[in-house]
Amino acid sequence: MIPSLFRSLETRIVVFFVVLLALVQVTAFLIVGAANEKIAKRELANQIQIGERLFDRVIQQNGRQLAQAATVLAADFGFREAIATRDSATIVSVLENHGARISANLAMLADLDNRLLADTLHKDSMGMPFPYPELISAAQQNGQASAVVIVDKAPYQLVVVPVLAPVPIAWVAMGFIIDDKLARDMRALTGLQVSFLTEQDNTRWSISASTLPANERTGLTVRIDELLQASNTKNIVSIGDQQYETRIAVLDKRDGKRVAAVLQKSLRTALEPFNELQQKLLELAIASVLVSLLGSILIGRSLVSPINKLAAIARKIRDGDYSQKADIRQQDEIGELASSFNHMREAISSREEKILRLAYQDTLTSLPNRALFNDRLDLAIKAAGRDLATSTILVMNLDRFRNVNDTLGHPIGDLVLQAVGARLQVLLRKSDTVARLGGDEFAIILPRAGIDHAREIAAKILAALDTPVIINSHPLDIRTSIGIASYPEHGADAYTIMRHADVAMYVAKRGNQGCVVFRPEFHQPHEEHLTLLGELGRAVEKDELTLYYQPKVDLKTGVTTQCEALVRWIHPVRGFMPPVQFIPFAEQTGFVRPMTRWVIRRAIRQCSEWQTRGVQVAIAVNICARDLLDHDLPDLVADELAQRGVEAKWLGIEITESGIMEDPAKSLETLRRLDQLGVKLAIDDYGTGYSSLSYVKKLPVKELKIDQSFIRTMATDGGDAMIVKSTIDLGHNLGMQVVAEGVEDLSIWALLKELGCDYAQGYCMSKPLPADQFEQWLKENAVFGDPTIPPARLARR
């Protein structure tokens, strides 16, 4: 697979040009480098050859200078006279003077018997044999002789000529020492490193003179034999960290001891000009790669940028957005492509707009049709679900519209529908949607709007249609029936909400009510509703309802000082009816108000009866959202407490989060009035609603009850345990007591006690009991020796 980086055309263009140029530059660099090295070595060889010739000429020139000086000396009359008279002092003086004139370092005179008459270097050698008799023999044959000899372990260039009068009467020898000065002079002339080596005993070599650095001289003495044994006299020699092109010449060999001259040129030095050129080439290559990179980027962008723009516009077209035009003004093939692209976009937009108009617009009223309405309703529900908001719809059907069509004809009916659609549009926000679903049925979506706003819109619609529709100067009285349903209260999907709004609309039409909000009981048979409603009313009147009590045990002391009153219905025919079967129905029908009043009265009466028998237990009752909106509820509580002689602190009232949030302002007012009476207020099922902490802390509540859905699984679910702990800490920080509902085993009891929870309620202690059984339970479980064990468990012991 191609890496994602190289999927970009611009990147591939840049990489192609840069890599191509880099390969060319690297290849050229390597070729030029190899050629430079070859040229440098050839030039080095030429320099060595030239230096070698210069070296030979310098040696020859020095020999001629010595020969000339010796010849002049030998022709001197006074010198010959001193030789004839054996005037040693004069001879030595003349040798020194003449030697000094040419800077000779050595002058000797030997007689015809090859014995020394004078030696400027060794004054006491008179009468000793001349050390180089072979030179005298050569001079006898050639008129003069020259050689490099070793004197006192140092090499000298020595010349021997005869002293003629007119036949030879003696032999004069003059010589220059070969030292560092001579080596430096030769280096200055030849440009080469010059070294002179002499062979010592046991084939050991020593350097007599050299221009090499001191640290490289030893390396030369080590390699000299190896070089002399090579098949030729030129080699590349490594000395230290340097490589040298080398020439060796043996200047003399006497008695197995050799004198050698070594001429060398550093390969690094020879390559320096070429290395500098190579460096320049490298810099030029890097610069050219950078220029190529910049140029390829510019070229790539000039090609890719308009293509990317076209691709982005193409993606928008794919998603149904035809608004953006390709603004590319290039006068080339890409510009022509952009122009064609714009024409294509406009053509597609025009065709799709026509298709959408046919697919999603009602051709009669130009309103959205059912298909578009359903799409927008789905979007509104998704948005509301995501933002925890509410969306509401209204479904309306014109009353007696069939009569208009039947009596005046369909063309008039069409004009009526157009007029109704126009009136509906002016009543709504831009974010709202009004659609004609078909026939005389219209529907409206109110995003982020609740039931109250929907009722206001319904009232405006009814008022707008009170004004007759004028068709051909004839007023037509048009009425409508409206059904309202809301997300999420009346359904979690578009189909359910539409169905419920339809049901509410037909209820409004049957009852001639104008507008009706959906209620779940609309789905149940009407006779059953009426029967259950009547039976519930009789249950209150005939005391078929009863209260059961469930203890709330103090986790610290194990003492029970509170309980919750739970209503139960013992139906004379149906038998025991669970609260879930009648309490929601009572709330929906509005019958919850008399039932709540009955529960409050019965609980206060029971508390009074217990207190007369010395049972000091506070009773808490549950009320719903409708009860909080009952302005008379606090007065009822106050009157009943006063009538029974019970202090308000012995009564508790529990309300759910959702009940408080239904109408926060009115709920808060009712709660504050109850709190002023001294009634203990609690939030029930905390954690299942949507109340905010900022609102909770404003409530005059003294107790927080954690919903049992968190308590039952907290021993096995770390997430629920964390929620419980956080809720306990929150309640305590807000100055509230915390009660855990649904405590069903000892492990939960122990964990809640460890977390600092105040009270526990659940089947672990006791199920809800009738008043007499609850009173008996209190007697059996009032005092505990070990408060860590629930009362029911201790009682069984």
Side-chain angles (χ1 to χ4, degrees):
M1 292 180 63
I2 300 176
S4 58
L5 177 64
F6 291 98
R7 292 176 184 169
S8 166
L9 177 60
E10 179 180 351
T11 302
R12 294 203 298 271
I13 290 174
V14 172
V15 170
F16 173 76
F17 279 109
V18 171
V19 170
L20 180 62
L21 182 61
L23 288 174
V24 172
Q25 294 288 359
V26 169
T27 303
F29 186 83
L30 294 176
I31 293 174
V32 171
N36 283 343
E37 186 173 359
K38 186 176 181 179
I39 293 170
K41 288 182 177 179
R42 186 166 61 243
E43 181 66 22
L44 182 59
N46 291 336
Q47 290 179 8
I48 286 287
Q49 289 177 358
I50 294 171
E52 194 173 14
R53 287 196 293 271
L54 287 174
F55 177 83
D56 290 339
R57 290 180 182 177
V58 170
I59 293 296
Q60 292 173 7
Q61 181 179 346
N62 286 346
R64 285 195 296 270
Q65 184 180 6
L66 288 171
Q68 184 178 3
T71 301
V72 170
L73 177 60
D76 185 87
F77 178 79
F79 180 66
R80 286 184 293 180
E81 185 177 0
I83 292 173
T85 60
R86 298 291 194 271
D87 186 352
S88 298
T90 301
I91 292 171
V92 171
S93 176
V94 172
L95 289 174
E96 289 177 346
N97 290 335
H98 275 268
R101 290 175 187 171
I102 62 170
S103 299
N105 303 101
L106 173 64
M108 293 185 292
L109 181 66
D111 60 12
L112 296 178
D113 294 329
N114 292 346
R115 292 193 175 274
L116 290 173
L117 298 177
D119 185 345
T120 59
L121 198 60
H122 305 93
K123 304 291 186 180
D124 55 350
S125 60
M126 288 184 59
M128 296 183 66
F130 184 75
Y132 313 105
E134 66 276 9
L135 289 180
I136 292 177
S137 299
Q140 287 175 344
Q141 294 178 4
N142 302 318
Q144 66 178 31
S146 177
V148 175
V149 299
I150 297 175
V151 179
D152 296 336
K153 299 182 179 180
Y156 282 76
Q157 184 177 4
L158 192 66
V159 173
V160 176
V161 298
V163 180
L164 301 174
V167 296
I169 60 173
W171 303 94
V172 176
M174 300 193 75
F176 293 130
I177 188 171
I178 298 176
D179 58 5
D180 286 341
K181 180 179 179 302
L182 177 62
R184 287 194 297 271
D185 291 341
M186 288 192 172
R187 178 183 178 183
L189 288 172
T190 62
L192 305 177
Q193 298 284 0
V194 180
S195 300
F196 294 92
L197 293 86
T198 56
E199 189 176 20
Q200 307 298 322
D201 296 334
N202 300 322
T203 66
R204 289 185 301 105
W205 291 83
S206 64
I207 293 180
S208 301
S210 179
T211 57
L212 287 173
N215 61 333
E216 294 181 2
R217 295 186 180 187
T218 303
L220 179 59
T221 61
V222 172
R223 303 291 302 278
I224 186 67
D225 282 325
E226 174 186 342
L227 295 173
L228 288 171
Q229 292 173 5
S231 58
N232 54 59
T233 57
K234 61 180 181 178
N235 294 279
I236 296 293
V237 181
S238 296
I239 301 177
D241 61 346
Q242 291 269 23
Q243 286 188 317
Y244 288 96
E245 178 78 14
T246 304
R247 297 288 190 281
I248 301 176
V250 177
L251 302 180
D252 189 66
K253 181 178 182 180
R254 298 175 187 275
D255 301 325
K257 296 179 182 180
R258 292 168 289 181
V259 177
V262 180
L263 305 180
Q264 295 175 302
K265 181 74 173 182
S266 170
L267 187 60
R268 181 186 299 172
T269 303
L271 287 173
E272 280 180 357
F274 298 98
N275 288 339
E276 186 176 351
L277 174 61
Q278 196 87 340
Q279 181 66 29
K280 296 295 183 184
L281 289 175
L282 179 61
E283 293 173 0
L284 180 61
I286 293 174
S288 63
V289 169
L290 293 177
V291 171
S292 173
L293 176 62
L294 179 61
S296 58
I297 289 175
L298 294 176
I299 293 172
R301 286 185 178 175
S302 68
L303 292 174
V304 173
S305 179
I307 294 175
N308 285 338
K309 288 181 180 179
L310 293 176
I313 296 173
R315 286 192 292 270
K316 288 189 175 183
I317 292 175
R318 178 198 63 191
D319 297 334
D321 182 0
Y322 302 96
S323 61
Q324 187 171 351
K325 181 180 179 181
D327 188 15
I328 300 173
R329 304 174 185 270
Q330 296 178 214
Q331 302 298 320
D332 53 15
E333 292 82 357
I334 292 180
E336 185 176 348
L337 174 64
S339 177
S340 300
F341 193 88
N342 284 329
H343 290 306
M344 180 188 70
R345 175 188 63 84
E346 291 169 1
I348 294 175
S349 175
S350 177
R351 287 193 294 271
E352 185 160 318
E353 184 178 350
K354 185 176 181 180
I355 293 171
L356 288 175
R357 197 163 50 245
L358 294 173
Y360 292 108
Q361 190 178 76
D362 177 55
T363 56
L364 177 63
T365 62
S366 297
L367 295 175
N369 61 12
R370 182 182 292 272
L372 182 55
F373 178 86
N374 290 337
D375 286 348
R376 291 186 179 178
L377 179 56
D378 284 334
L379 292 176
I381 290 174
K382 289 178 181 178
R386 182 178 61 250
D387 301 334
L388 301 179
T390 300
S391 288
T392 305
I393 67 169
L394 294 81
V395 173
M396 54 183 288
N397 186 271
L398 301 183
D399 297 337
R400 301 181 301 279
F401 181 74
R402 182 188 296 270
N403 296 335
V404 173
N405 273 338
D406 293 342
T407 59
L408 301 177
H410 288 283
I412 299 299
D414 291 345
L415 293 176
V416 170
L417 294 175
Q418 291 173 349
V420 171
R423 292 189 184 187
L424 293 177
Q425 283 182 295
V426 300
L427 298 176
L428 303 176
R429 305 169 299 182
K430 290 183 178 181
S431 59
D432 299 335
T433 296
V434 57
R436 179 179 174 233
L437 303 184
D440 61 345
E441 189 173 13
F442 294 83
I444 296 171
I445 303 173
L446 303 177
R448 299 180 179 277
I451 297 296
D452 290 340
H453 181 66
R455 284 197 178 102
E456 293 175 5
I457 296 297
K460 291 180 179 179
I461 293 172
L462 294 172
L465 295 182
D466 277 342
T467 303
V469 177
I470 307 299
I471 304 295
N472 296 332
S473 301
H474 296 287
L476 298 177
D477 187 21
I478 303 298
R479 302 294 175 132
T480 187
S481 298
I482 302 173
I484 298 174
S486 178
Y487 169 88
E489 182 179 354
H490 300 136
D493 57 81
Y495 172 78
T496 303
I497 294 172
M498 277 293 294
R499 186 161 53 87
H500 289 170
D502 270 332
V503 170
M505 184 266 292
Y506 285 114
V507 170
K509 187 177 286 288
R510 285 195 302 267
N512 196 26
Q513 300 179 53
C515 172
V516 169
V517 178
F518 174 78
R519 295 198 297 271
E521 61 266 23
F522 291 164
H523 281 316
Q524 301 173 4
H526 188 60
E527 294 79 6
E528 183 180 347
H529 282 189
L530 293 177
T531 300
L532 186 59
L533 184 60
E535 289 177 347
L536 190 55
R538 288 193 298 272
V540 173
E541 296 173 1
K542 296 182 178 181
D543 279 341
E544 291 178 6
L545 298 179
T546 185
L547 292 183
Y548 278 43
Y549 303 89
Q550 188 174 31
K552 292 192 283 188
V553 181
D554 190 322
L555 282 163
K556 295 179 182 177
T557 64
V559 176
T560 301
T561 58
Q562 303 179 46
C563 68
E564 180 179 359
L566 302 168
V567 65
R568 298 291 186 263
W569 184 5
I570 311 299
H571 193 279
V573 177
R574 307 182 192 216
F576 180 85
M577 291 186 64
V580 70
Q581 291 186 5
F582 63 93
I583 290 180
F585 173 75
E587 291 177 348
Q588 294 162 7
T589 58
F591 193 77
V592 71
R593 180 176 180 183
M595 191 169 68
T596 299
R597 290 170 177 256
W598 180 89
V599 170
I600 290 175
R601 290 191 182 100
R602 179 56 59 90
I604 293 176
R605 189 180 78 180
Q606 184 64 61
C607 187
S608 174
E609 292 174 1
W610 278 344
Q611 288 183 357
T612 58
R613 294 196 293 272
V615 179
Q616 303 293 325
V617 176
I619 302 176
V621 298
N622 288 281
I623 64 175
C624 69
R626 285 178 179 268
D627 296 321
L628 283 178
L629 303 180
D630 184 358
H631 186 268
D632 297 330
L633 179 65
D635 295 333
L636 168 70
V637 173
D639 292 343
E640 195 66 27
L641 288 171
Q643 183 179 348
R644 297 293 180 180
V646 177
E647 294 183 50
K649 67 178 181 179
W650 296 103
L651 178 66
I653 290 181
E654 298 178 4
I655 181 70
T656 61
E657 293 178 82
S658 57
I660 297 172
M661 298 306 295
E662 200 162 291
D663 191 335
K666 291 183 179 179
S667 298
L668 183 58
E669 179 185 356
T670 301
L671 291 174
R672 284 176 176 168
R673 290 176 62 193
L674 290 170
D675 180 64
Q676 290 170 0
L677 292 176
V679 174
K680 183 178 181 181
L681 302 176
I683 296 179
D684 195 17
D685 300 335
Y686 184 79
T688 61
Y690 300 100
S691 60
S692 64
L693 293 178
S694 62
Y695 186 77
V696 169
K697 70 180 183 180
K698 296 178 182 178
L699 301 176
V701 296
K702 301 296 188 296
E703 189 174 275
L704 204 62
K705 298 188 73 176
I706 306 174
D707 186 72
Q708 60 185 347
S709 62
F710 301 108
I711 301 299
R712 288 175 178 170
T713 58
M714 65 179 292
T716 57
D717 189 328
D720 284 348
M722 183 60 68
I723 291 173
V724 171
K725 182 180 185 304
S726 301
T727 305
I728 293 171
D729 294 339
L730 170 66
H732 289 166
N733 290 335
L734 294 177
M736 302 179 190
Q737 292 181 327
V738 181
V739 179
E741 294 181 294
V743 180
E744 295 185 358
D745 57 54
L746 289 172
S747 61
I748 299 296
W749 170 280
L751 186 55
L752 288 168
K753 181 178 175 63
E754 181 180 347
L755 294 177
C757 187
D758 300 301
Y759 292 93
Q761 178 181 346
Y763 276 61
C764 183
M765 287 73 69
S766 173
K767 64 181 182 180
L769 300 170
D772 55 342
Q773 294 181 25
F774 179 79
E775 189 174 347
Q776 182 62 32
W777 182 91
L778 283 176
K779 292 177 181 179
E780 296 173 356
N781 299 277
V783 180
F784 305 97
D786 184 359
T788 64
I789 301 177
R793 300 294 187 271
L794 289 172
R796 292 192 185 105
R797 292 184 179 181

